[in-house]
Amino acid sequence: MQLVKSLFFTAYMMVSALLFGGFMTLCFWAPYSTQFAIARTWARILFWTLDKVCGLKFTVEGRERIPAGNHIVMCNHTSAWETIAQFLIFPPQVWVLKRELLWIPLIGWGLKLLRPISINRGAGHQAVNQVIEQGKARLADGLWIIIFPEGTRVVAGESRKYGVSGALLATSTNKRVVPLSHNAADFWVRRGLIKKAGTIRVVIGEPIESTGKDPRELNDEVRQSIEAGLAQIALESSLQAA
């Protein structure tokens, strides 16, 4: 039964993304704030549907730690869930994403209106420069930046080297890094069909200052904070299950 519900939700997600992407494209003349409001509305409806159909909810701990102003969020990446959830957790924002996503009809066109930092993953140092150059412009416009430092979705329990672009951007702008940890992969498996019932936990860590730090040092601090959040979630989940 859960498989049937999950397939229904996945179909709904794809159709709704196409419809909202098309609607955003028709509203190409609207300011960014309006485009972001449309995307946030889609995310809110999507997660309401996810709860009602699949029984999958989420909670956020540490909202009070979100600093004033606009900064950089770095988050572990295990599924599509956390990319959508950012709409409902942080103020107006842009993501760092692979440019190929913008080529998807309707969905990609809508994404482009959200002013993402699109990069060519195969460009090496040039991709890092794109993040820094475009990131500075987005931060100057008052937007938050969401970065998945692992670069791609990683299977739960595995680790991958963190890219340095987010840390370089933070140290070059003196913006704080807000670490975010979650266990979405326990319910929304990477490349899996089933969306398990339960509650995804999101933990927002203490903001990390970047001023005067070496980017590699900052990257290590961020990684340690994210992994500490994951360990906290795993420990508390195991205690609840015992």
Side-chain angles (χ1 to χ4, degrees):
M1 181 60 72
Q2 195 68 19
L3 175 59
V4 173
K5 293 179 179 179
S6 299
L7 290 173
F8 174 83
F9 170 78
T10 299
Y12 168 78
M13 179 174 67
M14 295 174 65
V15 172
S16 67
L18 287 168
L19 292 175
F20 269 87
F23 180 69
M24 289 177 66
T25 303
L26 292 175
C27 299
F28 68 90
W29 47 267
Y32 175 84
S33 57
T34 300
Q35 298 288 1
F36 185 80
I38 294 172
R40 177 175 275 177
T41 298
W42 170 73
R44 186 172 287 114
I45 296 172
L46 184 72
F47 278 5
W48 180 88
T49 305
L50 180 62
D51 177 14
K52 298 304 179 183
V53 174
C54 298
L56 182 53
K57 313 172 188 289
F58 75 99
T59 62
V60 180
E61 303 165 35
R63 286 185 186 272
E64 70 282 358
R65 301 188 187 109
I66 300 176
N70 61 310
H71 299 275
I72 300 167
V73 177
M74 291 174 68
C75 171
N76 63 302
H77 197 16
T78 58
S79 72
W81 181 89
E82 60 269 14
T83 61
I84 303 168
Q86 307 300 333
F87 283 123
L88 305 181
I89 299 174
F90 292 97
Q93 65 206 237
V94 300
W95 308 336
V96 175
L97 48 76
K98 58 183 180 181
R99 63 180 182 176
E100 289 81 1
L101 291 175
L102 304 183
W103 303 344
I104 303 173
L106 297 180
I107 296 174
W109 304 342
L111 273 176
K112 190 172 183 178
L113 292 170
L114 293 174
R115 301 180 61 194
I117 300 172
S118 59
I119 62 172
N120 176 6
R121 284 183 177 174
H125 289 296
Q126 184 180 351
V128 175
N129 292 334
Q130 290 172 345
V131 172
I132 296 173
E133 181 181 349
Q134 295 180 51
K136 286 181 177 179
R138 303 296 190 275
L139 289 168
D141 288 340
L143 300 173
W144 283 71
I145 294 181
I146 311 295
I147 295 179
F148 301 101
E150 293 159 308
T152 189
R153 289 175 292 175
V154 178
V155 176
E158 295 184 2
S159 60
R160 184 184 175 95
K161 182 180 178 180
Y162 277 25
V164 75
S165 59
L168 282 168
L169 176 59
T171 54
S172 64
T173 57
N174 293 327
K175 290 291 185 177
R176 298 178 184 178
V177 175
V178 179
L180 185 147
S181 311
H182 64 85
N183 66 338
D186 291 345
F187 304 91
W188 184 313
V189 180
R190 174 177 175 261
R191 296 176 183 171
L193 292 177
I194 295 181
K195 310 298 185 287
K196 300 177 184 178
T199 301
I200 294 170
R201 290 184 57 195
V202 176
V203 175
I204 299 173
E206 292 290 344
I208 300 173
E209 296 289 347
S210 65
T211 304
K213 291 181 179 176
D214 180 272
R216 290 170 295 183
E217 174 191 350
L218 177 60
N219 229 17
D220 286 342
E221 283 190 61
V222 173
R223 182 173 195 136
Q224 289 171 17
S225 180
I226 291 175
E227 290 180 350
L230 292 173
Q232 174 191 334
I233 293 172
L235 176 60
E236 294 177 359
S237 295
S238 63
L239 291 175
Q240 290 175 2

